[in-house]
Amino acid sequence: MKAKPAAAPRPSRARARTRARTTSIAAFVVLAALVPTTASASGTQEVETELPYVCTLPSGPLPATVRVSADFPERAGAGEAFTPSGVTTTVELPARAVADLAARDATGVRAATRLGVGVAQNAATATATWRGSAEPVALPESGPLTLVTKGDVPSVAGRGEGDLTFTAGALTIDLALEAADGTATDAATDAATATAGSGSGSGSGSGSLTVDCTLAEDAPSQGLLATVPVGTGAGAPSGSPSPTGPAETSGAPDDGQPDGPGDREAERQSERSPKVLESTPGTAPDRDDVPPCRYDEQHPPTDVSLNAYVTGYANVKKLKGAAYLPPSCVLIEQGIPVPGPADPNYLIFDTVSYANFHYQERRQTPPFEATFLSFDFAPVKATMVLEQTDTMRIDSRMKMSMTDFSTTTDTYVRAPLVLHVLDLEVNGTPLDVGSECRTETSLVSEDPDPANFPGDHLVLYGRGELLIGQPATGYLLLSGGVLSGEATIPAFTGCGTDGEDLDRLLTASVSGPGNLIKQVQGQTCAIAAPVFPSPTNEGQCTEDLQPYEIPVAEH
């Protein structure tokens, strides 16, 4: 069954970007995937830089050591985008910081980092945000606390020839605090401690603490991380950028003259600044090639019903490859926000929503194929689906700062999903796996709150941010974005027919921990208040109330 086309063609994204030029001048950055958009590089330079920082905690400013490692190309072509890969941020907080956390009855923490990175070429600059997350770690009994985060960074492209430099700037560390029983620390204790603190490091209360860090004045090379020569000329040696004069302009604006000299200079600066890009690993599938995503008589919508497409990749660590998850329909019942724990620095709201895959009246994804080399030599092609064993739960916590009214929203999606193998070929030979070949239990992630969410399920996490006057970045339930997590693939059961047991073969070649999952959710369609495409907006719903946006998977 094919979906009806939208009522109007989708407006060009270029027009939207033109209207948002003032925002782009401010170098607003969106989350981007680690997709290796190819640059003209002759090789890779491995960078590891150790920098001194000063971090503000409830007890006051404390010294910290931050190590940033990443792989950059040795050279890039003018206008060609590349993505720093293998980005890891390691933060070492002193023993006094551990005492601050222990005073909040915390025995462990889960960290997320946001590192501002200045990108400069000649006299022009832009700013990127390198985000990372980490698995929970226990507080040490003595000595410093070491936090190691990894995550997504934006792609970058130089506008013309000249060295492209990357320089570390402000660092924000968001800490989710865990008590001895694995739950969040007590809200009352947090609020009392927060009141005694100073600065944004005084914390957000209710089992969390936000720590702001600034680069120390004596940081070597003023925080320089890497230099990538762009173009065919010889690049300058690594070091802090030292522009000698204004760069050439690349042309006049394409939508009218700015209001004054300052605006004209801002326009020119924007046009020659390095581009910090949202990665575009591919194009969205045609609507005819994705399953329908609409409510029906068996699934009637309510006033809070949403629908959206999701897609992504799931790594299979043992097979050193990734399976592409095609666009799948998700039906969502959005919860009503309720006030969260009291906090003197933030206004907090919690929302619980529920969701189900929807494919041919079943709670599963469409079938998808993946090909791997089993044991590094035998080609294996499998057709699989992900099936729900229960409803997915979506927990979102929004925190609005009482000082600048910026908001952050942390979202955890908990999904009980078994992997069902439909067909299997080894070296071109079909193997009859039967109709009940699946993992024994759901894919399993380490849950940040196991006391309240026991059992086997996958956990995906995303963070959204909103600054006044700027578009939202990251993941929000309504607008979508990137969710990521790590899962253990359980052992297989029920595989094989006529007395042939294939369980051990699949378990040995596939099952195990450390499988990264990255899911991209598209913009939702709100059934009760649909937004259709028009010349002034891109729309959220087709005329038959399906999601307008079909997202693109990102590695």
Side-chain angles (χ1 to χ4, degrees):
M1 182 176 185
K2 295 185 178 181
K4 295 177 65 177
R10 191 168 191 169
S12 167
R13 290 187 181 270
R15 275 187 285 164
R17 292 195 183 99
T18 300
R19 291 194 300 269
R21 172 167 286 141
T22 302
T23 302
S24 65
I25 293 172
F28 127 76
V29 180
V30 296
L31 276 176
L34 288 173
V35 181
T37 47
T38 304
S40 300
S42 57
T44 300
Q45 52 172 317
E46 299 179 359
V47 172
E48 184 167 354
T49 306
E50 182 173 298
L51 298 169
Y53 273 76
V54 177
C55 297
T56 303
L57 283 101
S59 61
L62 298 175
T65 299
V66 177
R67 291 185 295 276
V68 180
S69 60
D71 293 340
F72 293 83
E74 290 182 349
R75 178 177 294 278
E80 290 188 278
F82 63 87
T83 308
S85 61
V87 176
T88 302
T89 303
T90 303
V91 181
E92 188 175 285
L93 297 172
R96 280 179 58 193
V98 178
D100 280 351
L101 300 176
R104 292 176 165 236
D105 296 330
T107 60
V109 295
R110 176 191 288 263
T113 56
R114 289 170 283 156
L115 176 64
V117 176
V119 185
Q121 187 181 37
N122 302 319
T125 62
T127 302
T129 301
W130 288 7
R131 307 170 192 270
S133 58
E135 293 300 311
V137 296
L139 296 184
E141 295 183 0
S142 61
L145 170 65
T146 301
L147 306 169
V148 181
T149 66
K150 299 179 181 181
D152 300 332
V153 304
S155 299
V156 174
R159 294 279 191 167
E161 294 198 356
D163 284 347
L164 199 61
T165 61
F166 295 78
T167 305
L171 172 68
T172 300
I173 310 170
D174 296 307
L175 299 174
L177 311 183
E178 296 183 349
D181 59 359
T183 62
T185 55
D186 182 71
T189 303
D190 288 336
T193 309
T195 304
S198 61
S200 54
S202 62
S204 60
S206 185
S208 63
L209 179 70
T210 298
V211 179
D212 290 332
C213 304
T214 56
L215 189 69
E217 294 182 356
D218 59 349
S221 301
Q222 298 177 316
L224 181 69
L225 299 175
T227 298
V228 178
V230 175
T232 57
S238 294
S240 300
S242 53
T244 57
E248 295 292 332
T249 62
S250 60
D254 58 4
D255 61 348
Q257 294 297 321
D259 293 334
D263 289 336
R264 285 196 295 271
E265 177 57 31
E267 292 280 1
R268 288 194 291 268
Q269 181 75 5
S270 173
E271 290 174 354
R272 62 180 180 252
S273 294
K275 288 183 180 180
V276 179
L277 307 168
E278 180 178 7
S279 294
T280 53
T283 57
D286 291 334
R287 187 165 296 276
D288 290 346
D289 296 328
V290 300
C293 188
R294 62 169 66 89
Y295 288 85
D296 51 34
E297 292 181 0
Q298 289 73 34
H299 303 84
T302 69
D303 290 342
V304 293
S305 291
L306 312 170
N307 53 3
Y309 283 108
V310 296
T311 185
Y313 285 94
N315 284 358
V316 181
K317 185 177 181 180
K318 279 188 175 180
L319 297 179
K320 302 175 183 177
Y324 167 64
L325 307 178
S328 303
C329 173
V330 178
L331 305 183
I332 305 167
E333 289 297 299
Q334 186 183 17
I336 304 300
V338 298
D343 187 281
N345 302 307
Y346 294 89
L347 188 62
I348 300 175
F349 287 94
D350 292 330
T351 305
V352 180
S353 305
Y354 296 93
N356 289 296
F357 283 123
H358 183 61
Y359 177 73
Q360 296 183 352
E361 301 301 322
R362 295 191 293 269
R363 296 192 300 179
Q364 66 174 56
T365 66
F368 56 93
E369 288 187 354
T371 301
F372 305 97
L373 284 179
S374 183
F375 305 111
D376 290 331
F377 71 89
V380 175
K381 184 172 75 172
T383 303
M384 302 166 282
V385 296
L386 287 171
E387 298 175 340
Q388 285 180 238
T389 60
D390 204 347
T391 302
M392 291 187 279
R393 176 177 170 131
I394 305 171
D395 289 272
S396 301
R397 169 164 289 185
M398 187 206 75
K399 295 165 49 180
M400 176 183 288
S401 170
M402 302 302 290
T403 55
D404 61 6
F405 303 106
S406 63
T407 64
T408 60
T409 302
D410 292 299
T411 300
Y412 290 91
V413 178
R414 294 174 169 91
L417 297 170
V418 297
L419 182 62
H420 186 173
V421 180
L422 304 178
D423 295 294
L424 186 66
E425 289 184 8
V426 178
N427 204 23
T429 301
L431 296 180
D432 191 353
V433 295
S435 61
E436 299 299 327
C437 180
R438 65 189 69 226
T439 52
E440 290 182 340
T441 66
S442 168
L443 304 182
V444 182
S445 300
E446 185 173 356
D447 197 293
D449 190 2
N452 288 318
F453 300 100
D456 296 328
H457 52 265
L458 172 69
V459 179
L460 297 176
Y461 169 76
R463 162 167 282 212
E465 299 173 358
L466 181 61
L467 303 178
I468 298 298
Q470 296 189 20
T473 62
Y475 176 83
L476 295 171
L477 178 61
L478 291 179
S479 58
V482 174
L483 292 159
S484 59
E486 184 173 310
T488 294
I489 300 176
F492 284 81
T493 185
C495 304
T497 59
D498 298 328
E500 185 177 22
D501 187 354
L502 300 178
D503 293 347
R504 294 176 63 185
L505 171 65
L506 284 168
T507 299
S509 58
V510 175
S511 301
N515 303 285
L516 299 177
I517 297 176
K518 189 167 190 176
Q519 174 181 290
V520 182
Q521 178 202 308
Q523 167 73 51
T524 59
C525 168
I527 306 302
V531 177
F532 299 110
S534 72
T536 58
N537 68 68
E538 296 182 357
Q540 299 172 6
C541 306
T542 63
E543 63 180 16
D544 59 347
L545 299 181
Q546 297 193 73
Y548 196 104
E549 181 180 0
I550 302 173
V552 177
E554 300 179 357
H555 280 289

